[in-house]
Amino acid sequence: MMQIETVCPAHALAQLDALTNVLEGCVADGASVGFTDIRDRAVMTRFWQSKIASLAGGENHLLVARVEGAIVATVMVGFSAMPNGRHRAEIAKLLVHPAARRQGIARRLMQQAEQLAAAHGKTLLVLDTRSGDVATSLYLSLGWHIAGSIPGYAISTTGELEATTVMFKPLETSAPLGE
């Protein structure tokens, strides 16, 4: 049975190895999530350490999916700190370990992330994903829209320059803005 939870900083730090395992599995499978060297686990661990530190301030929220108690997937919801962007949130690091894919986990995480953002009064979500990636069809099926594409945006794990697609989704919310 799958469980989704929002993780507090202390709990996330205790789960640092599990979070790094998910990221490492996704990068090894060719995911375009910012990392190009699948052998550099230390860089991936430092990434999670910096993200965990940002949880305490409330600018980022980390959701994880667990199957039989083990973390198998993540998504981050980042709130804009700038006054002109307090109505929006960014979705990042939707990661599902390759061994846990095709079970609806990414869909459930995205739905929870959207609910979290709406509960905090956010009215717009944004994200970017590798152009042509299978995740695009998931986002489109959840009501996201394509804003455009940026060619040569990121270097892949194979060293190629790849385009990214920028997407957005307006949210309905009853919470006050700027919360």
Side-chain angles (χ1 to χ4, degrees), residues 23-156:
L23 178 55
E24 187 176 46
C26 292
V27 173
D29 198 49
S32 179
V33 291
F35 301 89
T36 57
D37 185 354
I38 62 173
R39 299 165 304 212
D40 202 345
R41 185 174 173 88
V43 168
M44 293 179 212
T45 299
R46 281 194 303 277
F47 162 79
W48 278 120
Q49 289 169 327
S50 72
K51 290 303 177 186
I52 290 167
S54 75
L55 298 177
E59 63 265 23
N60 283 308
H61 296 263
L62 174 62
L63 298 166
V64 298
R66 294 178 182 274
V67 174
E68 298 178 9
I71 295 176
V72 297
T74 68
V75 68
M76 300 247 356
V77 182
F79 295 161
S80 177
M82 299 305 296
N84 74 345
R86 290 191 181 133
H87 65 289
R88 71 177 181 258
E90 181 177 3
I91 302 296
K93 297 305 178 263
L94 176 63
L95 305 168
V96 180
H97 192 280
R101 292 186 182 153
R102 311 301 303 165
Q103 300 177 44
I105 295 171
R107 177 175 297 279
R108 291 261 321 271
L109 274 172
M110 285 299 293
Q111 291 167 335
Q112 288 289 118
E114 291 175 14
Q115 289 172 12
L116 174 72
H120 282 84
K122 306 308 174 193
T123 58
L124 180 67
L125 294 177
V126 295
L127 64 77
D128 68 86
T129 187
R130 176 175 41 200
S131 296
D133 200 76
V134 297
T136 303
S137 61
L138 167 68
Y139 301 137
L140 291 171
S141 77
L142 289 169
W144 286 73
H145 306 278
I146 294 174
S149 180
I150 304 169
Y153 185 79
I155 298 171
S156 72

